[in-house]
Amino acid sequence: MKRLIERSRSVGEVLRWVTQNPGKVSASHYPIALHKLGQLLQQQPGPPVGAGDGRGPAGQVLEQPEFHALCQAIVSGCAKFDNFSIVNCLYAAAALGLPGESPLVRVLEDESRSRLGRFNQKDVSMVFSSEANNKALEAIFSSQLFYENRQERFIRSMAEWLPRKAENLTPYTMALIAKYVARHRLREPRLLDTIANFLLKRGEQLDSKVIQKLVFPFSRMNYRPSNHGELFPKLEAILEQKAGSSPLATVNILMSMFQLSHFPQTVLHQVFSPGFITNVMSSPYALIVRRYLSLLDAAVELEFREYSGPRLDPRYRVLMFEHALTADEANRKYSYKGLVAEALRQLVGEECYRQDEVLPPGYCTDFLLWINRSGTVLPLSRVPAASRAPPATSPVTMSLRSSVLALTSDLQDFAPVVLSVNDKWHYCQNSDILVGSRAMRDRHLRLLGYCLVQLPYTELEKVSGIEEAKHYLRQKL
Protein backbone atom coordinates (compact mmCIF):
# COMPACT_ATOMS: atom_id res chain seq x y z
CA MET A 1 0.00 0.00 0.00
CA LYS A 2 2.85 2.41 0.82
CA ARG A 3 4.39 1.92 -2.63
CA LEU A 4 1.01 2.28 -4.36
CA ILE A 5 0.31 5.58 -2.60
CA GLU A 6 3.79 6.96 -3.27
CA ARG A 7 3.60 6.02 -6.99
CA SER A 8 0.19 7.64 -7.48
CA ARG A 9 0.12 10.23 -10.26
CA SER A 10 -3.06 12.08 -9.31
CA VAL A 11 -5.04 13.20 -6.27
CA GLY A 12 -7.92 10.92 -7.28
CA GLU A 13 -5.64 7.90 -7.44
CA VAL A 14 -4.34 8.52 -3.89
CA LEU A 15 -7.87 8.87 -2.52
CA ARG A 16 -9.05 5.72 -4.26
CA TRP A 17 -6.23 3.57 -2.89
CA VAL A 18 -6.88 4.72 0.68
CA THR A 19 -10.68 4.84 0.76
CA GLN A 20 -11.46 1.73 -1.31
CA ASN A 21 -9.06 -0.59 0.55
CA PRO A 22 -9.76 0.06 4.27
CA GLY A 23 -8.65 -3.42 5.29
CA LYS A 24 -5.18 -2.86 3.84
CA VAL A 25 -4.63 0.63 5.26
CA SER A 26 -2.72 0.96 8.56
CA ALA A 27 -2.05 4.04 10.72
CA SER A 28 1.31 4.65 9.04
CA HIS A 29 -0.35 4.93 5.60
CA TYR A 30 -2.46 7.99 6.48
CA PRO A 31 0.38 10.51 6.85
CA ILE A 32 1.94 9.13 3.64
CA ALA A 33 -1.35 9.77 1.84
CA LEU A 34 -1.66 13.31 3.21
CA HIS A 35 1.94 14.10 2.27
CA LYS A 36 1.39 12.72 -1.24
CA LEU A 37 -1.74 14.82 -1.67
CA GLY A 38 0.24 17.91 -0.69
CA GLN A 39 2.97 17.11 -3.23
CA LEU A 40 0.47 16.54 -6.06
CA LEU A 41 -1.42 19.73 -5.27
CA GLN A 42 1.81 21.75 -5.29
CA GLN A 43 2.34 20.58 -8.88
CA GLN A 44 -1.06 21.83 -10.05
CA PRO A 45 -1.70 25.41 -11.23
CA GLY A 46 -3.72 27.79 -9.12
CA PRO A 47 -3.45 29.24 -5.60
CA PRO A 48 -0.84 27.58 -3.37
CA VAL A 49 -1.73 24.81 -0.98
CA GLY A 50 -2.87 26.36 2.26
CA ALA A 51 -4.84 29.22 0.72
CA GLY A 52 -7.74 27.76 2.67
CA ASP A 53 -10.46 29.74 0.86
CA GLY A 54 -11.84 26.97 -1.37
CA ARG A 55 -10.36 28.36 -4.60
CA GLY A 56 -8.50 26.28 -7.18
CA PRO A 57 -7.44 22.62 -7.03
CA ALA A 58 -6.63 22.61 -3.30
CA GLY A 59 -10.08 23.84 -2.35
CA GLN A 60 -11.72 21.39 -4.73
CA VAL A 61 -9.86 18.43 -3.21
CA LEU A 62 -10.80 19.41 0.33
CA GLU A 63 -14.45 19.30 -0.68
CA GLN A 64 -14.36 15.82 -2.27
CA PRO A 65 -16.33 13.06 -0.45
CA GLU A 66 -13.33 10.72 -0.70
CA PHE A 67 -11.14 13.27 1.11
CA HIS A 68 -13.75 13.65 3.85
CA ALA A 69 -13.80 9.85 4.19
CA LEU A 70 -10.01 9.87 4.57
CA CYS A 71 -10.19 12.56 7.28
CA GLN A 72 -12.98 10.71 9.10
CA ALA A 73 -10.92 7.50 9.13
CA ILE A 74 -8.02 9.37 10.78
CA VAL A 75 -10.33 11.09 13.31
CA SER A 76 -11.94 7.78 14.25
CA GLY A 77 -8.72 5.85 14.65
CA CYS A 78 -6.10 8.34 15.82
CA ALA A 79 -6.46 7.45 19.51
CA LYS A 80 -5.00 4.03 18.60
CA PHE A 81 -2.24 5.43 16.34
CA ASP A 82 1.39 5.26 17.46
CA ASN A 83 3.16 8.55 18.23
CA PHE A 84 5.00 8.62 14.92
CA SER A 85 1.75 8.36 12.91
CA ILE A 86 0.03 11.04 15.01
CA VAL A 87 2.92 13.46 14.58
CA ASN A 88 3.27 12.85 10.87
CA CYS A 89 -0.48 13.18 10.23
CA LEU A 90 -0.50 16.54 12.00
CA TYR A 91 2.60 17.72 10.17
CA ALA A 92 1.16 16.63 6.83
CA ALA A 93 -2.22 18.25 7.58
CA ALA A 94 -0.44 21.55 8.30
CA ALA A 95 1.59 21.28 5.09
CA LEU A 96 -1.60 20.49 3.16
CA GLY A 97 -3.11 23.72 4.43
CA LEU A 98 -6.04 22.34 6.40
CA PRO A 99 -7.58 25.10 8.54
CA GLY A 100 -6.94 24.98 12.28
CA GLU A 101 -10.65 24.72 13.03
CA SER A 102 -11.13 21.61 10.89
CA PRO A 103 -12.16 18.48 12.86
CA LEU A 104 -9.09 16.58 11.66
CA VAL A 105 -6.61 19.21 12.85
CA ARG A 106 -8.42 19.75 16.16
CA VAL A 107 -8.45 16.02 16.97
CA LEU A 108 -4.80 15.58 16.01
CA GLU A 109 -3.72 18.61 18.07
CA ASP A 110 -5.66 17.40 21.11
CA GLU A 111 -4.17 13.92 20.80
CA SER A 112 -0.65 15.39 20.37
CA ARG A 113 -0.97 17.59 23.44
CA SER A 114 -2.14 14.66 25.53
CA ARG A 115 0.99 12.74 24.48
CA LEU A 116 3.62 15.49 24.78
CA GLY A 117 5.26 13.84 27.76
CA ARG A 118 5.79 10.63 25.77
CA PHE A 119 7.12 12.20 22.55
CA ASN A 120 10.81 12.16 21.70
CA GLN A 121 12.53 15.42 20.68
CA LYS A 122 12.06 14.89 16.93
CA ASP A 123 8.33 14.22 17.42
CA VAL A 124 8.01 17.31 19.61
CA SER A 125 9.75 19.53 17.04
CA MET A 126 7.49 18.29 14.22
CA VAL A 127 4.35 18.84 16.26
CA PHE A 128 5.40 22.34 17.15
CA SER A 129 6.27 23.19 13.56
CA SER A 130 2.73 22.30 12.49
CA GLU A 131 0.87 24.08 15.33
CA ALA A 132 1.02 27.85 15.23
CA ASN A 133 -2.18 29.23 16.78
CA ASN A 134 -2.33 30.91 20.19
CA LYS A 135 -3.77 27.89 21.99
CA ALA A 136 -1.21 25.56 20.45
CA LEU A 137 1.73 27.84 21.21
CA GLU A 138 0.61 28.10 24.82
CA ALA A 139 0.55 24.30 25.04
CA ILE A 140 3.94 24.05 23.35
CA PHE A 141 5.80 26.43 25.63
CA SER A 142 4.03 25.11 28.73
CA SER A 143 5.37 21.63 27.95
CA GLN A 144 8.13 20.70 30.38
CA LEU A 145 9.67 18.43 27.75
CA PHE A 146 9.92 21.28 25.27
CA TYR A 147 11.01 23.82 27.89
CA GLU A 148 13.92 21.69 29.08
CA ASN A 149 15.28 20.98 25.59
CA ARG A 150 16.60 23.42 23.03
CA GLN A 151 14.64 23.10 19.77
CA GLU A 152 16.83 25.24 17.50
CA ARG A 153 15.27 24.10 14.26
CA PHE A 154 11.81 24.98 15.50
CA ILE A 155 13.02 28.34 16.85
CA ARG A 156 14.55 29.25 13.48
CA SER A 157 11.29 28.32 11.81
CA MET A 158 9.26 30.26 14.37
CA ALA A 159 11.39 33.36 13.77
CA GLU A 160 9.98 33.39 10.23
CA TRP A 161 6.27 33.22 11.07
CA LEU A 162 5.96 34.62 14.62
CA PRO A 163 6.10 38.30 13.52
CA ARG A 164 2.95 37.74 11.43
CA LYS A 165 1.08 36.03 14.26
CA ALA A 166 2.30 38.02 17.27
CA GLU A 167 -0.59 40.49 17.18
CA ASN A 168 -3.06 37.69 17.93
CA LEU A 169 -1.10 36.15 20.79
CA THR A 170 -1.95 36.70 24.44
CA PRO A 171 0.60 38.32 26.79
CA TYR A 172 0.75 35.00 28.67
CA THR A 173 1.77 33.09 25.53
CA MET A 174 4.34 35.73 24.54
CA ALA A 175 5.76 35.63 28.07
CA LEU A 176 6.16 31.84 27.79
CA ILE A 177 8.04 32.29 24.52
CA ALA A 178 10.27 34.96 26.11
CA LYS A 179 11.00 32.65 29.05
CA TYR A 180 12.05 29.85 26.72
CA VAL A 181 14.25 32.13 24.60
CA ALA A 182 15.97 33.44 27.73
CA ARG A 183 16.46 30.03 29.34
CA HIS A 184 18.25 28.64 26.30
CA ARG A 185 20.17 31.89 25.56
CA LEU A 186 18.79 32.03 22.01
CA ARG A 187 20.05 35.29 20.51
CA GLU A 188 17.65 35.26 17.55
CA PRO A 189 17.14 38.93 16.52
CA ARG A 190 13.85 38.34 14.70
CA LEU A 191 12.29 36.68 17.74
CA LEU A 192 13.65 39.29 20.15
CA ASP A 193 12.47 42.15 17.93
CA THR A 194 9.02 40.54 17.72
CA ILE A 195 8.82 40.45 21.52
CA ALA A 196 9.99 44.09 21.62
CA ASN A 197 7.34 45.19 19.10
CA PHE A 198 4.66 43.34 21.07
CA LEU A 199 5.84 45.14 24.21
CA LEU A 200 5.83 48.52 22.47
CA LYS A 201 2.24 48.08 21.26
CA ARG A 202 0.76 46.43 24.34
CA GLY A 203 3.00 47.67 27.19
CA GLU A 204 0.51 50.11 28.69
CA GLN A 205 -2.07 47.35 29.11
CA LEU A 206 0.34 44.97 30.87
CA ASP A 207 1.20 44.77 34.54
CA SER A 208 4.81 45.01 35.68
CA LYS A 209 5.17 41.27 36.31
CA VAL A 210 4.41 40.49 32.66
CA ILE A 211 6.62 43.32 31.42
CA GLN A 212 9.62 42.00 33.39
CA LYS A 213 9.22 38.60 31.69
CA LEU A 214 9.13 40.21 28.24
CA VAL A 215 12.10 42.50 28.92
CA PHE A 216 14.37 39.87 30.47
CA PRO A 217 15.43 38.16 27.18
CA PHE A 218 16.96 41.43 25.94
CA SER A 219 19.32 41.76 28.90
CA ARG A 220 19.93 38.02 29.10
CA MET A 221 21.10 38.01 25.47
CA ASN A 222 22.83 41.40 25.76
CA TYR A 223 20.66 42.58 22.87
CA ARG A 224 19.22 46.04 22.27
CA PRO A 225 16.06 45.55 20.18
CA SER A 226 15.87 47.49 16.93
CA ASN A 227 13.05 49.65 18.36
CA HIS A 228 14.88 50.49 21.61
CA GLY A 229 14.76 54.21 20.78
CA GLU A 230 10.97 54.06 21.19
CA LEU A 231 10.68 51.12 23.57
CA PHE A 232 12.97 52.24 26.38
CA PRO A 233 11.34 55.68 26.88
CA LYS A 234 7.94 53.99 26.85
CA LEU A 235 9.06 51.50 29.48
CA GLU A 236 10.32 54.40 31.62
CA ALA A 237 6.92 56.10 31.40
CA ILE A 238 5.14 52.86 32.35
CA LEU A 239 7.50 52.25 35.28
CA GLU A 240 6.95 55.77 36.57
CA GLN A 241 3.25 54.98 36.89
CA LYS A 242 3.53 51.41 38.15
CA ALA A 243 6.79 51.38 40.16
CA GLY A 244 5.08 50.89 43.50
CA SER A 245 2.51 48.31 42.41
CA SER A 246 5.07 45.51 42.08
CA PRO A 247 8.44 46.59 43.55
CA LEU A 248 10.32 43.39 42.74
CA ALA A 249 9.19 43.46 39.09
CA THR A 250 10.18 47.13 38.89
CA VAL A 251 13.68 46.41 40.18
CA ASN A 252 14.02 43.45 37.80
CA ILE A 253 13.08 45.64 34.82
CA LEU A 254 15.59 48.27 35.94
CA MET A 255 18.28 45.61 36.21
CA SER A 256 17.59 44.50 32.65
CA MET A 257 17.86 48.08 31.40
CA PHE A 258 21.08 48.68 33.37
CA GLN A 259 22.65 45.57 31.86
CA LEU A 260 21.95 47.14 28.46
CA SER A 261 23.60 50.42 29.64
CA HIS A 262 20.33 52.33 29.79
CA PHE A 263 19.73 54.33 32.98
CA PRO A 264 16.19 55.76 33.47
CA GLN A 265 16.79 58.68 35.81
CA THR A 266 13.20 59.47 36.82
CA VAL A 267 12.51 55.85 37.78
CA LEU A 268 15.70 55.78 39.86
CA HIS A 269 14.40 58.76 41.82
CA GLN A 270 11.37 56.66 42.75
CA VAL A 271 13.20 53.42 43.45
CA PHE A 272 15.74 55.04 45.77
CA SER A 273 13.08 57.17 47.51
CA PRO A 274 12.45 56.54 51.25
CA GLY A 275 8.84 55.50 50.54
CA PHE A 276 9.82 52.80 48.04
CA ILE A 277 12.65 51.53 50.27
CA THR A 278 10.37 51.34 53.33
CA ASN A 279 7.78 49.46 51.29
CA VAL A 280 10.18 46.79 50.02
CA MET A 281 12.01 46.34 53.31
CA SER A 282 8.79 45.21 54.96
CA SER A 283 8.00 42.72 52.19
CA PRO A 284 8.76 38.97 52.12
CA TYR A 285 11.26 39.49 49.27
CA ALA A 286 13.22 42.19 51.09
CA LEU A 287 16.60 40.44 50.85
CA ILE A 288 16.53 39.85 47.10
CA VAL A 289 15.40 43.44 46.50
CA ARG A 290 18.23 44.71 48.71
CA ARG A 291 20.69 42.68 46.64
CA TYR A 292 19.35 44.12 43.39
CA LEU A 293 19.18 47.67 44.74
CA SER A 294 22.76 47.37 45.99
CA LEU A 295 23.94 46.35 42.53
CA LEU A 296 21.88 49.10 40.88
CA ASP A 297 23.41 51.61 43.28
CA ALA A 298 26.90 50.36 42.41
CA ALA A 299 26.09 50.64 38.69
CA VAL A 300 24.98 54.25 39.19
CA GLU A 301 28.26 54.96 40.97
CA LEU A 302 30.33 53.42 38.20
CA GLU A 303 28.40 54.09 35.00
CA PHE A 304 25.90 56.91 35.58
CA ARG A 305 28.08 59.56 37.15
CA GLU A 306 25.83 62.43 36.04
CA TYR A 307 22.99 61.13 38.21
CA SER A 308 22.31 63.48 41.13
CA GLY A 309 19.16 62.03 42.68
CA PRO A 310 18.68 59.94 45.84
CA ARG A 311 20.86 56.88 46.40
CA LEU A 312 20.52 53.71 48.41
CA ASP A 313 21.02 54.28 52.13
CA PRO A 314 24.41 52.69 53.05
CA ARG A 315 22.82 50.66 55.84
CA TYR A 316 20.81 48.72 53.26
CA ARG A 317 23.77 47.82 51.04
CA VAL A 318 24.61 44.13 50.77
CA LEU A 319 26.58 41.97 48.37
CA MET A 320 24.67 41.04 45.22
CA PHE A 321 26.18 37.54 45.34
CA GLU A 322 28.08 35.96 48.20
CA HIS A 323 29.46 32.99 46.24
CA ALA A 324 29.61 31.51 42.74
CA LEU A 325 26.43 31.61 40.69
CA THR A 326 24.08 28.63 40.84
CA ALA A 327 24.62 27.90 37.14
CA ASP A 328 28.38 27.78 37.64
CA GLU A 329 28.02 25.44 40.61
CA ALA A 330 25.62 23.18 38.72
CA ASN A 331 27.91 23.01 35.69
CA ARG A 332 31.16 22.69 37.62
CA LYS A 333 31.96 19.26 36.12
CA TYR A 334 31.70 20.75 32.61
CA SER A 335 33.84 23.78 33.43
CA TYR A 336 37.45 24.41 32.43
CA LYS A 337 38.01 26.09 35.79
CA GLY A 338 39.56 22.99 37.38
CA LEU A 339 42.13 22.68 34.59
CA VAL A 340 43.02 26.37 34.90
CA ALA A 341 43.30 26.11 38.70
CA GLU A 342 45.79 23.22 38.55
CA ALA A 343 47.82 24.86 35.78
CA LEU A 344 47.91 28.13 37.72
CA ARG A 345 48.98 26.36 40.92
CA GLN A 346 51.91 24.74 39.14
CA LEU A 347 52.79 27.90 37.23
CA VAL A 348 52.82 30.56 39.99
CA GLY A 349 52.18 28.73 43.28
CA GLU A 350 49.18 28.87 45.62
CA GLU A 351 50.60 31.86 47.50
CA CYS A 352 50.24 34.06 44.40
CA TYR A 353 46.49 34.00 43.74
CA ARG A 354 43.09 33.73 45.30
CA GLN A 355 40.33 31.56 43.88
CA ASP A 356 36.59 32.35 44.00
CA GLU A 357 37.19 35.76 45.53
CA VAL A 358 33.99 37.82 45.88
CA LEU A 359 34.57 41.50 45.16
CA PRO A 360 32.18 44.37 45.95
CA PRO A 361 29.47 44.95 44.87
CA GLY A 362 29.24 41.17 44.91
CA TYR A 363 30.96 39.71 41.86
CA CYS A 364 32.55 36.28 42.21
CA THR A 365 35.86 36.11 40.35
CA ASP A 366 37.54 32.90 39.27
CA PHE A 367 41.15 33.90 40.05
CA LEU A 368 42.62 37.12 41.44
CA LEU A 369 46.34 37.89 41.00
CA TRP A 370 48.71 40.86 41.29
CA ILE A 371 51.27 41.54 38.58
CA ASN A 372 54.10 44.08 38.55
CA ARG A 373 55.27 46.21 35.64
CA SER A 374 57.66 43.53 34.40
CA GLY A 375 54.84 40.98 34.19
CA THR A 376 55.79 38.99 37.29
CA VAL A 377 52.99 37.56 39.42
CA LEU A 378 53.55 38.70 43.02
CA PRO A 379 52.98 36.66 46.18
CA LEU A 380 50.06 38.16 48.10
CA SER A 381 52.42 38.80 51.02
CA ARG A 382 54.25 41.41 48.91
CA VAL A 383 51.09 43.37 48.04
CA PRO A 384 50.44 46.25 50.49
CA ALA A 385 47.21 45.60 52.38
CA ALA A 386 45.89 49.08 51.62
CA SER A 387 46.06 48.39 47.90
CA ARG A 388 44.51 44.94 47.90
CA ALA A 389 40.96 44.29 46.83
CA PRO A 390 38.50 45.73 49.38
CA PRO A 391 37.09 43.04 51.65
CA ALA A 392 33.84 41.60 50.35
CA THR A 393 32.55 41.23 53.87
CA SER A 394 32.24 44.98 54.41
CA PRO A 395 30.52 46.51 51.37
CA VAL A 396 28.63 48.89 53.64
CA THR A 397 31.58 50.84 54.97
CA MET A 398 33.62 51.27 51.78
CA SER A 399 32.29 53.17 48.79
CA LEU A 400 33.10 51.83 45.38
CA ARG A 401 34.71 55.07 44.37
CA SER A 402 37.21 54.88 47.23
CA SER A 403 37.98 51.27 46.29
CA VAL A 404 38.80 52.42 42.76
CA LEU A 405 41.22 54.95 44.19
CA ALA A 406 42.79 52.31 46.42
CA LEU A 407 43.33 49.98 43.51
CA THR A 408 44.73 52.57 41.11
CA SER A 409 46.97 54.53 43.49
CA ASP A 410 49.94 52.19 43.04
CA LEU A 411 49.37 51.07 39.47
CA GLN A 412 52.80 52.34 38.51
CA ASP A 413 54.18 49.43 40.54
CA PHE A 414 51.61 46.63 40.16
CA ALA A 415 48.07 45.93 39.01
CA PRO A 416 45.27 43.57 40.18
CA VAL A 417 44.34 40.94 37.59
CA VAL A 418 41.15 38.90 37.31
CA LEU A 419 41.40 35.66 35.32
CA SER A 420 37.90 34.99 33.98
CA VAL A 421 37.09 31.44 32.84
CA ASN A 422 34.25 31.95 30.39
CA ASP A 423 32.55 28.60 29.94
CA LYS A 424 29.98 27.83 27.25
CA TRP A 425 26.95 28.84 29.32
CA HIS A 426 28.40 32.32 29.86
CA TYR A 427 27.73 33.08 26.19
CA CYS A 428 24.60 33.37 24.11
CA GLN A 429 23.90 30.13 22.28
CA ASN A 430 26.14 29.59 19.23
CA SER A 431 27.68 33.03 19.75
CA ASP A 432 30.79 34.75 21.11
CA ILE A 433 28.63 37.37 22.88
CA LEU A 434 28.58 37.16 26.67
CA VAL A 435 25.18 37.11 28.38
CA GLY A 436 24.14 40.49 29.77
CA SER A 437 24.88 39.85 33.46
CA ARG A 438 28.39 38.62 32.64
CA ALA A 439 29.02 41.57 30.32
CA MET A 440 27.96 44.06 33.03
CA ARG A 441 30.16 42.29 35.58
CA ASP A 442 33.15 42.69 33.26
CA ARG A 443 32.39 46.38 32.68
CA HIS A 444 32.20 47.01 36.40
CA LEU A 445 35.38 45.13 37.25
CA ARG A 446 37.29 47.20 34.68
CA LEU A 447 35.80 50.42 36.06
CA LEU A 448 36.88 49.30 39.52
CA GLY A 449 40.49 49.18 38.28
CA TYR A 450 40.98 45.47 37.63
CA CYS A 451 42.74 44.16 34.54
CA LEU A 452 40.51 41.48 33.07
CA VAL A 453 42.08 38.50 31.33
CA GLN A 454 39.44 36.48 29.46
CA LEU A 455 39.86 32.71 29.08
CA PRO A 456 37.07 31.72 26.66
CA TYR A 457 36.04 28.09 26.37
CA THR A 458 36.71 28.22 22.61
CA GLU A 459 40.41 28.62 23.43
CA LEU A 460 40.46 26.31 26.45
CA GLU A 461 38.88 23.41 24.56
CA LYS A 462 41.94 23.38 22.29
CA VAL A 463 44.29 22.98 25.28
CA SER A 464 45.41 19.41 25.93
CA GLY A 465 46.89 18.59 29.31
CA ILE A 466 48.50 20.58 32.11
CA GLU A 467 51.69 21.50 30.24
CA GLU A 468 49.72 23.06 27.38
CA ALA A 469 47.49 24.80 29.91
CA LYS A 470 50.53 26.28 31.69
CA HIS A 471 51.92 27.50 28.36
CA TYR A 472 48.52 29.03 27.51
CA LEU A 473 48.29 30.85 30.87
CA ARG A 474 51.88 32.09 30.60
CA GLN A 475 51.00 33.70 27.26
CA LYS A 476 47.81 35.20 28.65
CA LEU A 477 49.54 36.69 31.68
Side-chain angles (χ1 to χ4, degrees), residues 130-203:
S130 58
E131 293 185 23
N133 57 54
N134 187 77
K135 182 181 177 184
L137 283 171
E138 184 176 316
I140 290 167
F141 286 96
S142 297
S143 161
Q144 193 65 19
L145 175 67
F146 184 84
Y147 182 65
E148 290 177 353
N149 294 280
R150 191 173 66 252
Q151 305 287 346
E152 293 187 37
R153 183 177 176 183
F154 171 64
I155 292 297
R156 285 195 298 271
S157 170
M158 191 171 75
E160 297 287 345
W161 51 255
L162 186 66
R164 301 192 300 272
K165 296 178 178 289
E167 198 168 312
N168 298 319
L169 298 184
T170 65
Y172 177 74
T173 300
M174 190 61 85
L176 285 174
I177 294 172
K179 181 181 178 182
Y180 180 86
V181 169
R183 175 189 168 92
H184 293 287
R185 311 186 313 280
L186 299 170
R187 202 175 196 269
E188 171 50 70
R190 293 169 298 179
L191 274 184
L192 293 169
D193 283 341
T194 299
I195 296 171
N197 288 329
F198 182 89
L199 194 51
L200 183 64
K201 293 176 183 177
R202 308 274 286 273

Side-chain angles (χ1 to χ4, degrees), residues 285-331:
Y285 41 79
L287 178 58
I288 185 62
V289 174
R290 282 181 70 182
R291 291 182 189 278
Y292 275 67
L293 287 176
S294 298
L295 189 55
L296 290 174
D297 188 66
V300 168
E301 177 97 10
L302 294 171
E303 298 190 87
F304 192 25
R305 302 294 289 274
E306 59 269 30
Y307 175 76
S308 58
R311 294 280 300 278
L312 182 64
D313 189 319
R315 63 193 164 129
Y316 292 129
R317 289 181 193 150
V318 293
L319 290 175
M320 178 60 184
F321 303 108
E322 296 171 340
H323 45 70
L325 295 180
T326 304
D328 290 339
E329 292 290 348
N331 289 298

Side-chain angles (χ1 to χ4, degrees), residues 1-9 12-34 36 70:
M1 181 59 69
K2 179 176 181 288
R3 286 197 301 271
L4 292 171
I5 294 171
E6 290 176 338
R7 291 174 181 175
S8 297
R9 296 183 180 182
E13 190 177 352
V14 173
L15 293 175
R16 282 195 300 275
W17 283 123
V18 177
T19 58
Q20 294 178 13
N21 299 276
K24 297 181 180 180
V25 177
S26 67
S28 64
H29 294 136
Y30 290 114
I32 295 171
L34 292 174
K36 187 63 180 181
L70 168 62

Side-chain angles (χ1 to χ4, degrees), residues 64 77 94 225 332 338 373 451:
Q64 290 185 23
R332 181 178 290 274
R373 296 181 68 183
C451 299

Side-chain angles (χ1 to χ4, degrees), residues 219-459:
S219 58
R220 174 73 166 152
M221 255 66 71
N222 200 6
Y223 178 81
R224 280 193 166 215
S226 57
N227 68 354
H228 72 269
E230 296 175 87
L231 179 60
F232 286 178
K234 185 162 189 174
L235 287 177
E236 289 185 43
I238 294 171
L239 282 179
E240 282 184 66
Q241 298 177 352
K242 302 181 179 182
S245 60
S246 182
L248 181 57
T250 297
V251 173
N252 280 333
I253 296 168
L254 270 181
M255 182 63 69
S256 288
M257 298 176 85
F258 269 47
Q259 287 179 1
L260 294 170
S261 299
H262 184 84
F263 309 99
Q265 181 160 299
T266 52
V267 183
L268 283 172
H269 276 262
Q270 283 187 267
V271 166
F272 287 135
S273 68
F276 187 93
I277 299 295
T278 301
N279 183 24
V280 297
M281 292 308 157
S282 59
S283 70
Y285 41 79
L287 178 58
I288 185 62
V289 174
R290 282 181 70 182
R291 291 182 189 278
Y292 275 67
L293 287 176
S294 298
L295 189 55
L296 290 174
D297 188 66
V300 168
E301 177 97 10
L302 294 171
E303 298 190 87
F304 192 25
R305 302 294 289 274
E306 59 269 30
Y307 175 76
S308 58
R311 294 280 300 278
L312 182 64
D313 189 319
R315 63 193 164 129
Y316 292 129
R317 289 181 193 150
V318 293
L319 290 175
M320 178 60 184
F321 303 108
E322 296 171 340
H323 45 70
L325 295 180
T326 304
D328 290 339
E329 292 290 348
N331 289 298
R332 181 178 290 274
K333 61 183 176 182
Y334 306 110
S335 175
Y336 287 97
K337 192 170 173 181
L339 173 67
V340 172
E342 179 58 24
L344 194 62
R345 185 187 69 79
Q346 294 187 25
L347 188 64
V348 301
E350 292 181 358
E351 69 282 1
C352 289
Y353 68 91
R354 286 192 183 138
Q355 186 171 343
D356 298 326
E357 184 85 353
V358 178
L359 305 174
Y363 289 127
C364 184
T365 58
D366 296 317
F367 304 98
L368 182 63
L369 309 90
W370 292 81
I371 295 181
N372 64 17
R373 296 181 68 183
S374 64
T376 302
V377 178
L378 302 176
L380 296 176
S381 59
R382 290 178 53 191
V383 179
S387 299
R388 291 181 198 162
T393 53
S394 57
V396 175
T397 57
M398 178 173 281
S399 76
L400 287 170
R401 195 166 295 164
S402 63
S403 70
V404 172
L405 294 175
L407 286 172
T408 56
S409 60
D410 292 317
L411 278 185
Q412 65 271 20
D413 297 319
F414 47 78
V417 177
V418 168
L419 281 183
S420 185
V421 180
N422 291 331
D423 286 301
K424 196 168 188 175
W425 57 90
H426 294 138
Y427 294 91
C428 300
Q429 191 63 39
N430 300 325
S431 168
D432 60 356
I433 297 174
L434 289 167
V435 295
S437 57
R438 192 81 171 180
M440 184 167 82
R441 183 202 81 140
D442 288 359
R443 289 200 310 269
H444 288 179
L445 288 176
R446 289 190 182 98
L447 289 168
L448 283 165
Y450 296 95
C451 299
L452 213 60
V453 180
Q454 304 283 14
L455 308 178
Y457 78 95
T458 49
E459 295 178 2

